[in-house]
Amino acid sequence: MVSVSESIWIDSPVEPVFEYLDDPYNHAEVTPSVTNVRNVEGLDNGGKRLDCTYTMAGVGLKTELEQTVHEPNRRMVFDMRSGIDGELELRFADVNGGTEVTYSAEYDIPGRVMSKVVKPFAVKYNERELRAALENLKQRLELEAESET
């Protein structure tokens, strides 16, 4: 099992941060390894189900994401199925007039030997990926807020 988590503070209220990430197409804008978001459909819980391509170490994986938890302005949880199965979670907290976003990923790497070889690489790769996604999110939302004033 691989588990990584990163947090960032964004100078924007929780509601617009949550709303931005509630649109699956925006994940592809801020997450470097997510592309080709398609087949987005709404779910009864307020969440979404979608297909996308997740690229890791140059290998594109067809991925299905299903939002199992959709708590407006608080939390999103996605089940990820792509051959590397796991869970992605985004938490939102009002901190000092802005938003602290915590992005966590937990997934299994198939195969015992493969897991021992790949796990250290996967942890580092995903730590960088989560950090980049959060930095891109911060930049996008803070620049957007500046341009509105």
Side-chain angles (χ1 to χ4, degrees):
M1 179 73 64
V2 173
S3 296
V4 293
S5 185
E6 294 284 333
S7 296
I8 199 164
W9 184 83
I10 298 172
D11 189 11
S12 180
V14 171
E15 188 172 336
V17 175
F18 185 91
E19 285 177 6
Y20 181 83
L21 287 174
D22 200 29
D23 180 343
Y25 295 100
N26 289 337
H27 288 266
E29 286 187 18
V30 297
T31 307
S33 62
V34 174
T35 58
N36 198 22
V37 173
R38 61 202 178 280
N39 303 324
V40 175
E41 62 184 71
L43 301 174
D44 291 341
N45 68 359
K48 319 277 185 309
R49 197 210 64 76
L50 61 122
D51 296 319
C52 65
T53 301
Y54 181 78
T55 303
M56 180 186 244
V59 177
L61 301 169
K62 291 182 180 179
T63 302
E64 179 183 295
L65 295 174
E66 183 173 335
Q67 197 171 16
T68 57
V69 176
H70 183 266
E71 298 173 5
N73 304 324
R74 296 194 52 222
R75 187 169 165 240
M76 298 177 184
V77 178
F78 298 87
D79 278 346
M80 177 177 68
R81 291 179 290 284
S82 66
I84 297 177
D85 297 342
E87 184 176 272
L88 306 172
E89 180 178 24
L90 289 154
R91 290 187 173 271
F92 306 82
D94 184 356
V95 176
N96 299 325
T99 304
E100 182 176 74
V101 179
T102 301
Y103 191 176
S104 302
E106 187 173 274
Y107 57 90
D108 290 316
I109 300 172
R112 185 177 296 172
V113 173
M114 183 63 106
S115 179
K116 287 183 180 190
V117 172
V118 172
K119 185 175 180 178
F121 164 77
V123 168
K124 289 292 183 199
Y125 179 87
N126 281 284
E127 286 173 345
R128 285 191 307 270
E129 184 71 17
L130 293 183
R131 173 57 47 197
L134 290 173
E135 291 288 346
N136 291 341
L137 176 66
K138 177 180 178 71
Q139 182 178 33
R140 164 93 49 195
L141 292 175
E142 289 181 354
L143 285 175
E144 193 173 286
E146 278 180 26
S147 68
E148 291 175 0
T149 55

